[in-house]
Every structure is written in C-alpha cells, then in structure tokens.
Amino acid sequence: MRAGADLIVIGGGLHGLSAALQSARRGLRVVLLEGAFTGRHASGATAAGVRSLARAVEELPLSLEAQAQWEDMTALVGDDCGFHAVGQVQVAMDAEAKARIKARIARLKAAGMHHESWIDPDRLAELVPVMQPGALGAAYVALDGSADPHRTIRAFRAACLEADVEILENRPVTWLGREETHWTVVAGGTSHVAPTIVNAAGAWGRQIARLAGDLLNVGIKNSMMIVTERCEPCLGPVVSAQNRKLSFKQTADGTFLIGGGVQGRLRPDGDSASVDFGALSGAMSTTLALFPWVADLRLVRAWAGMEAATADLLPVIGPSARAPGLIHAFGFSGHGFQLVPSVGRVIADLAETGRTRTDLSAFDPGRLATNRKAA
Amino acid sequence: MFRPLPDSSEGPTVTVFVEGQPVEAYVGETAASVLLRHLGTARTTSISESPRAPFCMMGCCFDCLAEIDGKGSTQSCLEPVRDGMTIARQMSARKVVAR
Amino acid sequence: MIFDTAIIGAGPAGMQAACDLRARELSVIVLDEQPAPGGQIWRGVERNCQPGSELAQRLGAEYRQGAGVARSFRACGADYRPLSRVWQIEETGPDATEQCWQVFVIREGQAEVVEARRVLLAIGAQERPVPFPGWTHPGVMTVGAAQIMLKSGGLLPEGPVWICGAGPLPLLYAHQLRKLGGQIAGFLDTAPRDTVRRGLPHLSGALRDWKSLAKGLAWQAGLRAAGLRRETGVRQLRAEGKDRLERIRWETPEGEKTAPAGVLLIHEGLVPSVHPTLSLQCEHTWSDAQQSLRPVLDAWGETTRRGLFVAGDAAGIDGARAALAKGTLAAVGIARSLDVLSEAKAKQARAAGDRALSKARATRPLLDTLYPAPEGKISDDVIVCRCEELTAGQIRAAAGRGSADPNRVKSETRAGMGPCQGRQCGYTVARLIAEAHDMPRAEVGFHNIRPPLKPVSVGELASLGKAKA
Ligand SMILES: Cc1cc2nc3c(=O)[nH]c(=O)nc-3n(C[C@H](O)[C@H](O)[C@H](O)COP(=O)(O)OP(=O)(O)OC[C@H]3O[C@@H](n4cnc5c(N)ncnc54)[C@H](O)[C@@H]3O)c2cc1C
Ligand code: FES
C-alpha cells in the first residue's frame, strides 16, 4: 500500500500519459498504472493522423485547441513528436460527396469556424500530384498533418517522468474500491490509494468503469492498418475520401500507411485483435483507384488495433455520475490521437478543481449508462 | 566471387539480362546468384544507401531485394532464372512512378 | 475443396509426412516456396542426381538419399505446389461447424486461399544470425548460402575464401568444397577451445550413432590432411573493406591477426523457423542447449492450437534423419486426430517412430555442447537490425529505457519492423534486453509477429478479393 497520491491514472496510452503529465504539472502527485507497457495498444497501433478535417462538430472546440498545441508540441513535451503540418485532404469522388462536403464547410463557416476550405481539382492535383485525376475536388485543412506515434509516446513518457509522475508498467488493474473519500486500486499485486482516479484504459475502459460500478454501453473497434516498404518522399498531405474507406499517407520514414477503418477480428479471448485479410483485400479498391502504383509496393506489416467505440462515435469524457471521484477519458472511437493534448488539459482541470471551462455535455458518460451488463 | 563447376557450365543454360547485358545463367540457379556472380551486390539500402549482397540465400534476410522483370523489391534468392528474365539492382528507396 | 491436410514445406519432414498421409488415403496439399522438392538439405536433389553427375557424388551419400525420398514424394499423389509462398494462416471463426484452417498463398503474383482441416508446418530452420562488425558487407554470407549456391547452381566461391564459425555444416561444406576442387584460405573455428572436454559427458550417448560421429571425424581428418589452415579459439571477428569485403581481422588467445579476404562464409548453428507459430500465438519454450525458441508440442507433434502440427527442424534442430522421423510421427498424429487411425494403432505406430527419432537424435546433445551459440559481447557500433540499420548501441539504449518487453523495444527503435520481420535481429535484440535487465534470456521472449509472414504486394493482396469473388 502506498500513500500520498492525489491522482491515479489507469492506462498508459497517450490519453493516460497526457492527463498524468498535465495534472502533475499542476502540482498533483500522480501514479500511472499500465497493464502492459506505455503505448502498447491503440496509441502504438494508430495511424497518428492529426486531423480537424471532417470532425464531428461537437469535438471541434477540443480539436482546434489541440491543433494549436500540436503546432508547438515542444512547449508541452520538449519534442515535436515528429508532427508535420503536411495538411489533410478529404476527396470527393462523386457529386453527392462534393455536395456533402460543401454543405459541411458552409455550416462550419456559419458557426464561425474557418479551418476547412474547398479546393478544386487543379489545386488538388498540385497538392497531390501522385493521385489519379478524376476527383471532383476536396476539403482541405492546411494546418492538419500527422505525427510519429512512437516518438510521441516516448516524448510524453519522458515528460511524465520529468514531472515526477510515477509510471508503473505490467500492472493490470483488477479491482477498484471506494471508501468515503478514497479509491483503492489493485493492480498486478500492488495496491494504490488516491481520492481521484482517471479511466484512460482505452479498449478496456468499459471494464474499468464496471469495476467502479459504472455500467456503460461501449463497444470495441479493431481497425486494421497496413504499412508498405520505404519509398522516396512523394506524397505530402494525408488523403481520405468522403464516404469511402480510405486513409492514405506517407510517413517521414517514407513508408505508406493505409487504413480507413476496415475492421479486423476480435480474438476469442476478447483481449486482442487479429487481421482479417479477406476484409482488408476488399477495402483496397479505393486506394488503388486513386493511387494505382501502390499495387507494386510491398506490404511489410498489417495489424489491427483495439479501441473502445461508442454508438455516436463521440468519446466518453468527464466525471462519472455513479462513481464519485472517477473521471472517464476513453471511447475515442478511432480518432482520438489528435485530441491528446487538449483532452489531457481538460482532465487536469477536472482532477485539480473538479471543473473545466470546456463544454463536455456531448461526451457525458451518462448518455451511455446502462443497468444491464453491457454485452 | 563464384565460379561454375564443370557440371554447371556443361549443363543447360538460359540467357538473362543483368542491367541490360545478356548473360548466361545455369538452369537451377537463382537471380540472386546471377547478381552475385556478375555485380557482387543486389542493392543499396534505403536508409544509408550502403551496398548489400545476398546473405542467406533462403529468403530470410531480404538483402537480395532487386528488380526482377521490372518488379521491385523482389527476393531474388527465391527466383529461379528463366530465359529472358531481366535482373537489376535496386538502388536506395523505391521510387514511385505515378500514372 | 477442403484438404485433409495442408503441409507447408517440402523438405525431409514435409515430404515424409505427405507420403505417410497419402498412404492412409488422406488428401494432402504441399506448399513450398522453392521450385523443387528437397528443402534445404536436399535442395536441387532432382537436378543434381541425374545419372553421371559429378556433383551428386561429391555431395555425399546423405544427399543422394534425398533423390529417393523426392521420387516417392512425387509419386504419392499429394497436390504439390512449388513456388508457393505462404504469407498468412488463419483459423476459421469459432462459429464454423467443423474446424478448418485457411492458408494464404502467393503463387505467380496471385493470392489464393487453401483450406484444410489440419495444417502441418514443416518449414525447417534458418542459420542463427550472429552480428559482428562488417557482417553487412557484400562478400560476407552464410555457409548455408554458399552451400545453396553449390546445390542449385553448381557454383564455388573464389577469391581468398574464409570459413568462420562452428558446427557440422561448416565442416561438411569445407569437405565438399575440397572434394570439388575449391580453394579455402582458412577455417576459423569459433568453438571454445575446451569444447571437447565439455562434450565428453555426452560422448557415450552419441556413440549410439557412431556412424555419424565417424563421418564428422573423417571430415576433420581430411581437412587436416589437405593442409588446410585452421585457427581455433577465434573471437572478435571483423570484416573490413570500403564498399565490400577486403580483409578480415580476428583474435585468438595468441593475439590479433588479419588476412585479405574475398569471400567470408559464416555459420553459428541453426534455429527453428518459428515465425508462423509465433504469429498464431502457439506456446513456445526456450531451449537452453540450442539457445532458441521452439513451439511446445504434444507427443503427436500438435501445437497448443488444435489442428496445427509442426515437424522437422521447425520443432527443434535435430537434422534430416530426425526430420524424416518427425514427419512420420506428425502424420500419425494427424491421422489419429482425423479419426482414420484408432488409438491403439496410433500408439503402435508412434512407438516405432519414437525409436527412430531417438536414434536419429543420439548425437544431438554432444553437438549442442561442442558448438554452443557464441556469447561474446556485441560492441555498440555493430549493426544488429540489418533492415532498419540499427546498431547494438541504439538497441541497448532503448532496452535500458523501460520495461524488458521486446515489443516495447521494437516500437521504440523499429528493430524487427523491416521486411525480414526480425528474422535477423529478433534473438539479438532479446539478448541485449536480457543483458540490460540482467535477466535470463529465457524470460525475455520474442516480439509479436505481425502478418504477412512473407512479403506480398498491395496488388497481390487486392487480388485475393478478386479470387474470392
Ligand atoms: C542453410 C542450411 C544448410 C544446411 N545444410 C545441411 C547439410 O549440408 N547437411 C545436413 O545434414 N543438414 C543441413 N542442414 C540441416 C538440415 O537442412 C535439416 O536438419 C533438415 O533439412 C530439416 O528438414 P525440414 O523438412 O524440417 O526443413 P527444410 O528442409 O528446411 O524444409 C522446409 C521447407 O519449407 C519451405 N517454406 C518455409 N516457409 C514457407 C512459407 N511461408 N511458404 C512456403 N514454403 C515455405 C522452405 O522453402 C523449405 O523448402 C542445413 C540447414 C540449413 C538451414
Ligand atoms: S538472400 Fe536472404 S532473403 Fe534472399
């Protein structure tokens, strides 16, 4: 039994690390418990797109705050995390897609948000010369881009250690108990006590919530990714397509990352995911239609990363209504990487003062509350 | 680096093209072995651009990656020679040829 | 069609198992990435054993034996698919009524799925990668690689040719080379000098297979008689040169030496090919004697995943004769699990197979002791991951920065993320982690293996969808 922590963060993915870091910087004594090692799951498996483009409007305040933070990541963690503002484009492959994108941009403008703009096919061809012609244009955000996930994990981890966060790995949390003002957390044979705990357990967030008596209806996503061999740099922006399964980018290493949300299989143990090559193969068509030369590139690795996903695809951020002193930060539904710096700020607010200036109503855990054990 | 035994030089041969040059190859040998005999290397690496040659000859080191019949990043040690096969070293990272 | 068994690998183990399963009238498909049957030891055996072939004579009786096995295999009625690369193995979902495996294959640029009730991995071994300064220079290759050049193209190395390492293979190859008129500048023996004394306790067991022992001694005597330069107790090998190997340097207890070199052939033993069983999350154990992982198998050759079997050197390094016996045993196990062999008959067949296997393994404890895996310190500037060009120093730094998990070190450094999937660096990385955390090598494990097992292009992957439609 150790005494003296103000905050226990459960989960050593990027959201757990960011919450721990920013809370520690406010003077809280923080212990972080990770079941495997930091960045083992979604944070290490991610495509690491830093994207405000085509985000749900509810997430935009957090996303635009994060965009500014990514621009100056060195200020937060002492390293730029390999972030490059190479821009992101969302291509319209047909008239309906074009109409939807234009309508979205108009809505954003009306709400006072100007980060997205429409570009015509000529400008698109200038930005992405290695793409087949034929698209009707695209939505574009110049300040978006992508980062290096492993470098990001390393930087957040190092910053946490610097800020005296106690990071304990190989400590899967198996039991939670609340006594008046304190939580007791049992993890991998040790137990820890603090008034406040943060649930940043990613795909296991629902289980942690359940240990605290907070039954939430949250599912699991197993998005697959493939990475090719290294090539000479030729693609700047990250490319996606409206209403199609596509996410395509070239990393700083020269490899191409292809994702787009095709789902792998959950293994029977429910604790890991595996690649479904049949599904993956079918999902290559959009990529190959726009970038036919990719067909000749060697696929070096494929993987499926697990993350919690909600029905409305919005995250679960905020205090639990049923378990006092429990703050949720999970359920990012496959697009939480960009939000890491701003959500960490929100959790630090909540941990420090119990309040935050950010409107969290769309992310309220209560919307997912259930009385039954979730399936 | 390697020379043929009498058995090989008297045995059946095919003609392959090593970076444009016609070359006699022994039926049974692989494109990697032709590269070793004629150029001594198969590629330069994509990071430091240092030269590499086939190392394991059994598919587990990937230092024999070369362009075989125009197809890049092919493990040349797993490609038996065929008449008319084109073989070229692969220099540095692959270049993307759009359209 | 759903085959009764898909066998991956047409070496001794795979061919033997195919023949035995066909004799029980089970349907068998055999997939192998090579152009012809034989695996590594009998590579090119059909090509080389034509009547009157000088090469076949020189390669020895053990090699020629392969021709007979290949002939039986060709005639056994298995659907044999050469030049077929297996890049993924999946088990169909738990909802399927009968267990079935899907084996993903690339053949002539086209992806296909082969379905089978049982899978036998007879995928053999690879040479143990042991990094040293300059091992990435052109001109440096493995002894196995040179032997493959000999068996598949009838090619002999030239220039000052050095052989460095330990084990039966370098001796055999040197012996073969000498008989074929090849020149060897010298043999650098890396086995510890007291190795013979250490081997003594295993000698009496090994005498059960005195023929093999006698053969090994005869090779050594032949090399001595031919006046081959031989250095013992060799350590700290370095390959030097500008863009290719020009010279080698080494140390013995007597001091440092150097010599010009055109070809340097290295060999430090074999390790089982475990990528498929690792990626299928079968249980593995660490063999201290062979300093490598191997899948945990039951008495029938079945892994901890039902329906998946392993035979031959992929199950542990025991040599070709043992591989034949293991192929037979796995075939018995598969026939039993498919209910075409009664329990009593299966036990009987197993007893005979076990006897053959135990005899074929008689010299193994001695060999493992005579030729231990090298343990010399790897200096910081040596490249460990050939693909990502990472040095021992970089791996050490990452290993010391956090937990002793090879997956963490892999994601921090990219070691093991290149095209070889850690086949060259995996064991060394694990060794450096063990060193940094002062823990037994057996406890470190191996990084997770991500598919594909063999490279496939994005276009080939997409062709799978078309093949299915
Ligand atoms: C380089 C080398 C040289 C050797 N030389 C000798 C020697 O001279 N004398 C001696 O006694 N022993 C030698 N050995 C040891 C001997 O080869 C083995 O003991 C014996 O061959 C094991 O038989 P096996 O059937 O288990 O494996 P193998 O003979 O290796 O057969 C495995 C087969 O599986 C195929 N394969 C692997 N993965 C895939 C995949 N994903 N898709 C399709 N096909 C695949 C391989 O191409 C291979 O044909 C050598 C081993 C090696 C590695
Ligand atoms: S030479 Fe090693 S993979 Fe071809």
Side-chain angles (χ1 to χ4, degrees), chain A residues 104-190:
Chain A
R104 181 181 75 223
I105 294 177
R107 270 199 313 277
L108 289 174
K109 292 230 157 93
M113 288 183 275
H114 302 278
H115 57 289
E116 288 197 25
S117 55
W118 172 259
I119 56 173
D120 60 21
D122 287 346
R123 176 83 180 106
L124 182 59
E126 262 169 49
L127 280 172
V128 194
V130 291
M131 187 166 82
Q132 286 292 98
L136 304 181
Y140 177 51
V141 177
L143 289 178
D144 280 350
S146 69
D148 174 342
H150 299 299
R151 193 161 154 187
T152 308
I153 294 161
R154 217 156 53 219
F156 272 86
R157 184 191 157 92
C160 276
L161 293 174
E162 183 103 329
D164 284 333
V165 173
E166 187 177 0
I167 297 180
L168 300 171
E169 295 171 295
N170 289 316
R171 294 291 215 297
V173 170
T174 48
W175 190 84
L176 293 176
R178 177 88 183 167
E179 274 166 71
E180 289 169 29
T181 58
H182 279 76
W183 285 99
T184 299
V185 181
V186 175
T190 57

Side-chain angles (χ1 to χ4, degrees), chain A residues 36-40 44-45 150-151 154 157 161 169-170 226-228 230 253 255 258 265 267-269 272-273 275-282 284-285 287-288 294-304, chain C residues 87-88 90-94 102 104 279 281 305 387-388 401-405 407-414 416-419 421 448 450-452 454-466 468:
Chain A
F37 57 87
T38 52
R40 166 70 181 83
H150 299 299
R151 193 161 154 187
R154 217 156 53 219
R157 184 191 157 92
L161 293 174
E169 295 171 295
N170 289 316
I226 66 179
V227 60
T228 70
R230 292 174 193 255
D253 294 327
T255 61
I258 310 174
R265 297 195 184 103
R267 290 214 173 91
D269 61 7
S272 56
V275 175
D276 178 345
F277 273 102
L280 202 49
S281 121
M284 287 297 114
S285 55
T287 310
L288 289 174
V294 172
D296 285 341
L297 299 184
R298 192 157 31 79
L299 184 173
V300 174
R301 248 169 317 125
W303 66 89
Chain C
W87 53 278
Q88 163 84 339
E90 294 177 9
E91 193 179 349
T92 44
Q102 296 190 317
F104 293 65
S279 89
Q281 301 189 310
R305 291 204 49 179
C387 297
E388 296 288 320
R401 255 197 309 264
S403 67
D405 191 320
N407 291 307
R408 181 187 66 78
V409 175
K410 174 181 161 198
S411 45
E412 278 199 29
T413 60
R414 295 185 61 84
M417 285 198 191
Q421 297 264 31
N448 292 338
R450 308 281 201 200
K454 295 275 163 151
V456 351
S457 71
V458 176
E460 286 165 344
L461 169 62
S463 77
L464 181 66
K466 284 176 214 127
K468 271 191 160 173

